Amino acid sequence: EQGDGKWFLGINIENGRIKDEAGLRIKTGLRTILEKYGMDTRLTPLQSFILCDIATENRADINRILREHGIKQAEEISLLRRYSIACPAWPTCGLSITESERALPGILDEMEVELAKYALSSEVISVHMTGCPNGCARPYTPDIGLVGRAAGEQYTLYLGGNTIGTRLGFIYADYLPKENL
């Protein structure tokens, strides 16, 4: 509830890419909702999307449209994914040295398994990944930062920041191959 009798709804957009791909049709789903209801929207610093000013009577229909387009609700997404972002990197950015946007989902898959193994899935941990040192996804401030360092998919691993970005991480490992992340 946003305080005026209307509602807002946050939608996680993994790595900020609003697209239609296979069973996940984010672009079409959001277009359908916005054409039908025309509400205000916001983009978040974590590359997500907020639908604002939702009337109570429209909530169920909006949730139905999201489900039909394969768009998950917050409670269906791990905290790790909700707090993780990546820059576009290859092939979009000419400055990129390594993968980022396309690599992070697989890395998060592996991290989710490890977190579950140690009963840490309910912990809020932020992971930001970039394909080069320019830091477009702010990799120097989260709990875990991954920065593309060298060709051959090597990264610098930063640890010790925090979820809200008020603390800088430190270099834990440099020239770390992707398979060792």
Side-chain angles (χ1 to χ4, degrees):
E1 211 276 328
Q2 64 185 29
D4 61 357
K6 293 188 177 183
W7 299 81
F8 67 88
L9 176 65
I11 300 171
N12 185 71
I13 309 291
E14 190 165 41
N15 299 325
R17 186 68 64 178
I18 297 175
K19 62 182 176 181
D20 288 354
E21 188 174 79
L24 179 60
R25 298 181 340 260
I26 299 169
K27 187 175 181 179
T28 303
L30 291 176
R31 181 183 299 124
T32 301
I33 291 168
L34 294 174
E35 285 176 353
K36 186 170 185 177
Y37 296 107
M39 75 271 292
D40 285 337
T41 60
R42 304 285 186 275
L43 299 176
T44 74
L46 288 177
Q47 299 176 328
S48 294
F49 200 83
I50 299 176
L51 301 174
C52 305
D53 304 322
I54 300 171
T56 300
E57 61 271 15
N58 298 334
R59 289 178 64 197
D61 187 47
I62 289 171
N63 285 324
R64 178 192 58 77
I65 293 169
L66 292 172
R67 276 191 308 278
E68 286 176 357
H69 290 83
I71 302 169
K72 295 179 180 179
Q73 298 284 322
E75 59 274 2
E76 299 174 281
I77 302 166
S78 73
L79 286 172
L80 183 67
R81 283 187 196 278
R82 287 171 52 191
Y83 285 88
S84 297
I85 63 173
C87 74
W90 284 342
T92 305
C93 178
L95 300 174
S96 184
I97 303 166
T98 63
E99 285 282 2
S100 179
E101 176 187 1
R102 297 184 298 185
L104 186 58
I107 291 167
L108 295 178
D109 289 342
E110 294 177 35
M111 290 178 74
E112 286 171 338
V113 170
E114 292 300 312
L115 290 172
K117 185 181 353 178
Y118 295 103
L120 294 172
S121 297
S122 62
E123 295 294 320
V124 176
I125 299 171
S126 57
V127 179
H128 295 192
M129 184 176 196
T130 61
C132 78
N134 286 330
C136 294
R138 304 180 312 276
Y140 305 108
T141 59
D143 297 303
I144 301 170
L146 302 169
V147 177
R149 178 74 167 151
E153 298 295 307
Q154 295 184 36
Y155 296 86
T156 301
L157 171 63
Y158 288 82
L159 298 176
N162 61 19
T163 305
I164 58 174
T166 58
R167 189 171 58 219
L168 286 174
F170 61 90
I171 296 176
Y172 180 79
D174 205 5
Y175 292 102
L176 192 61
K178 180 182 169 189
E179 58 271 7
N180 294 345
L181 292 177

